[in-house]
Each structure stands twice: as structure tokens, then as C-alpha cells.
Amino acid sequence: MKSEAPDLITFGESMALFMPPEHRALERAVSLEQGFGGAESNVAIGAARLGVSVGWFGALGDDPFGHMIVKALRGEGVDVSRAKLSSEASTGLMFRESVAGRLAVHYYRSNSAASQMAPEDLNEDYIRGSKLLHVTGITMALSESCRRTVLRAVEIAKEAGVPVSFDPNLRLKLWPIEEARETLLPMAAQADYFLPGWDELQLLYETSDWEHVKARLSELKAISIVKSKDDQTVVLNKGKMDTIPFYPADNVVDTVGAGDGFCSGFLSGIVKGMSPVEAVRLASVTGSLAVQMRGDWEALPTWQAAAQRLDGKVWVER
């Protein structure tokens, strides 16, 4: 079964994305740019560009948007052989706009094909044959059946000795914080790699006291990768704490893909055999490059581009 499964597997909802050109507000836009996005598929694309064998699966509508997403992922080198196109539900949609200089996202994903995923949709051998399973809190927020699907996928992975990575990806437009806490904190306790942001931890643990949060994280078996803590990333690993500064971004254009870019770099580093600290250094580069172009995943770098920056080599423009 090993030969049939990619090294890294993730799953969730990908949506068609529409946004006005030139950072305009939706109500004043006369045209919209089309793309797609989703935390898990963004991570899959990033890992594929870094040379990692990666698969993404989920449910999409058997509609133009679903076909567009599958074709694009396949074109990026992501295995989509386990993705499903539903004739009974549509692909989710999201719209992004700029309101008073700040980003606003509007979801149209209720009753989408992805929200109807169920544990019986999982290909268990596919998960068992991988080297790393990555799941997010977004999928768990979509529906009760999605929540059960994530829990079952993690159970399959753990039974097979496959490490589990978990990014809470807290989205308060999808569920209230009280419900999120009840679901995400137990999931963090099952993970081997836990990748929260500092802002998320303050909401989940109901405190901004770093020492208290650090003590809570130390209770987990997971290696915790805390993003955006004082312009650096904190790695907590079996009682040891390392801090890695952000890799500078030359030209910040769109911050939406930063977290997924970071995650793709970290997971790729782990699959490539790097230590957690080395993987975070790679993640800092991929996260930095991800924000320098418009879109959720378009600016994610190739391994050559990321390695060049890790090595400190000068960029040759012409």
C-alpha cells in the first residue's frame, strides 16, 4: 500500500474564489477575478512545489468550479485521485474584498459538497500508506459529519503509526469560540505536530499570559509550533524552547496565504527529514514568499527558490 499513497496527505474543502481587481469593494466592482482556495489544498500545492509527494482529497460539486479546482491541483502535481465530485451538492464559494483598507471574506459554503463528507468516504489504505497526515480545524467546523470524518482519519493514521499534524485554523465565521474550544483542544491533544498562531492560542486558552499558555502546551505530547509570537516562531519540543525570527518579506501584497505557506514549508521540511527547527526556517521562507503576490497560493515557491533563500544566495534579476 505504501507505493499507492503520497508521503503527505491532507483533506478538506476547497472553494471557488472571486475578488474584485485593484483591491476594490465588492459592491463597487464591475468585474471579478476567479481563482480558488482552501487551507488544505493551499498546503498541498505548496508542498508539491517544494518537491514533496502530496495528495489532497475532499468533496467538490460536479460543476465548473469543482472541475476547475481538480484540474488546477492535478496540474500543480498534487494527487487528487481520491477527490470526489458530487452531483447532489455544489462547490463552495468565497468572495474577498477590501473594506476600509482591511480584508473581508464572505463564505457561501453551507450545504456544500465538502460539508457533507462522512467517515465512510475515507480511503483507509490511502491514509495508512502515507508518512504524514495533516488536518485542520476548518474541516471540523463545516459540519458534524465532517468532524467525525477528521476524527476517523486521525484514528486510522494513529493505528497505522502515521504522524498527525494539526493546524487549528480558527475561523469564527464558521462557529462560536465555545464550540471551537470543545473540539480543537482535544484534537491538539492527539496531534504529533500542533501548529497554532499566538492569536489563536489566546482565544483557545482564554489568556494572553504566555507562561500559562506555554505550560498548557507542554502538557501535550505534540511538538508545538507557535506562529507569530513577537515577530518570531516558537518551537516547543519536549521541554525545550527555540525561537526562529520571521524571514523578511520584501513586498507584502496579500497576507491571506501566509499561514498556509508557512504550514506547507514546515510539513515539507518534516517529510524531507529536517528537524522541527530546520523545518520552521524553511516555513519562514515559504510564508514570507507567499504574501508577495495576490491570491491564496499563487506565490508559493518552488524548492529551488526556497533553498536559494535558505542558503542566502543573491537573486539574479537578469
Side-chain angles (χ1 to χ4, degrees):
M1 297 300 176
K2 280 278 183 184
S3 62
E4 297 179 6
D7 290 341
L8 171 62
I9 288 176
T10 187
F11 69 98
E13 178 167 39
S14 285
M15 297 165 285
L17 166 65
F18 297 91
M19 51 187 174
E22 301 175 358
H23 302 282
R24 294 185 180 182
L26 281 167
E27 65 181 270
R28 287 183 288 278
V30 295
S31 63
L32 295 174
E33 299 172 3
Q34 178 183 309
F36 73 94
E40 301 83 9
S41 58
N42 296 343
V43 167
I45 290 172
R49 289 186 178 179
L50 292 170
V52 168
S53 167
V54 57
W56 173 92
F57 65 88
L60 299 159
D62 189 4
D63 51 38
F65 302 127
H67 289 281
M68 176 264 293
I69 292 170
V70 168
K71 289 177 182 177
L73 288 171
R74 186 183 296 122
E76 288 288 338
V78 177
D79 177 34
V80 289
S81 61
R82 271 61 176 183
K84 296 183 178 180
L85 296 174
S86 171
S87 59
E88 299 178 356
S90 60
T91 303
L93 306 177
M94 64 174 165
F95 293 80
R96 283 171 46 190
E97 64 175 336
S98 181
V99 178
R102 301 191 68 178
L103 175 72
V105 180
H106 309 279
Y107 295 124
Y108 295 85
R109 62 202 303 180
S110 297
N111 301 312
S112 67
S115 71
Q116 299 177 21
M117 285 189 293
E120 51 267 28
D121 296 327
L122 295 170
N123 185 307
E124 297 190 6
D125 287 337
Y126 192 65
I127 295 172
R128 291 189 182 102
S130 67
K131 293 181 179 178
L132 182 61
L133 172 69
H134 176 65
V135 297
T136 79
I138 295 176
T139 309
M140 303 187 82
L142 296 178
S143 67
E144 191 273 335
S145 66
C146 282
R147 202 169 307 175
R148 289 189 289 109
T149 303
V150 172
L151 290 172
R152 178 55 186 152
V154 170
E155 183 179 42
I156 293 166
K158 295 179 80 64
E159 289 172 351
V162 175
V164 174
S165 163
F166 176 55
D167 187 336
N169 259 322
L170 185 60
R171 297 289 187 271
L172 294 181
K173 284 193 173 184
L174 297 179
W175 54 356
I177 185 60
E178 294 79 12
E179 185 180 359
R181 284 193 195 103
E182 292 175 0
T183 302
L184 301 182
L185 292 178
M187 178 56 71
Q190 296 192 57
D192 296 284
Y193 300 98
F194 182 38
L195 290 88
W198 172 232
D199 57 340
E200 293 172 318
L201 288 175
Q202 292 176 81
L203 290 168
L204 291 172
Y205 289 131
E206 301 181 77
T207 179
S208 59
D209 182 341
W210 167 244
E211 292 302 320
H212 176 80
V213 171
K214 187 169 68 170
R216 293 289 300 273
L217 292 174
S218 297
E219 296 171 359
L220 303 176
K221 73 168 188 177
I223 297 171
S224 293
I225 311 298
V226 183
K227 299 167 284 186
S228 300
K229 177 69 174 71
D230 300 327
D231 294 328
Q232 59 190 3
T233 301
V234 178
V235 178
L236 295 173
N237 185 2
K238 298 178 177 62
K240 181 184 179 184
M241 187 176 85
D242 292 287
T243 57
I244 298 91
F246 286 167
Y247 187 87
D250 297 325
N251 181 33
V252 177
V253 175
D254 187 347
T255 60
V256 168
D260 297 334
F262 181 98
C263 188
S264 69
F266 177 77
L267 298 179
S268 296
I270 294 299
V271 170
K272 286 174 177 286
M274 295 181 181
S275 71
V277 170
E278 291 171 334
V280 166
R281 291 197 177 100
L282 172 60
S284 296
V285 170
T286 55
S288 168
L289 294 176
V291 304
Q292 300 189 52
M293 185 184 296
R294 209 163 173 229
D296 281 27
W297 52 267
E298 284 79 356
L300 293 170
T302 62
W303 173 249
Q304 181 181 17
Q308 184 179 51
R309 286 160 177 79
L310 279 174
D311 294 340
K313 294 180 180 178
V314 175
W315 177 262
V316 180
E317 184 172 312
R318 62 176 79 183

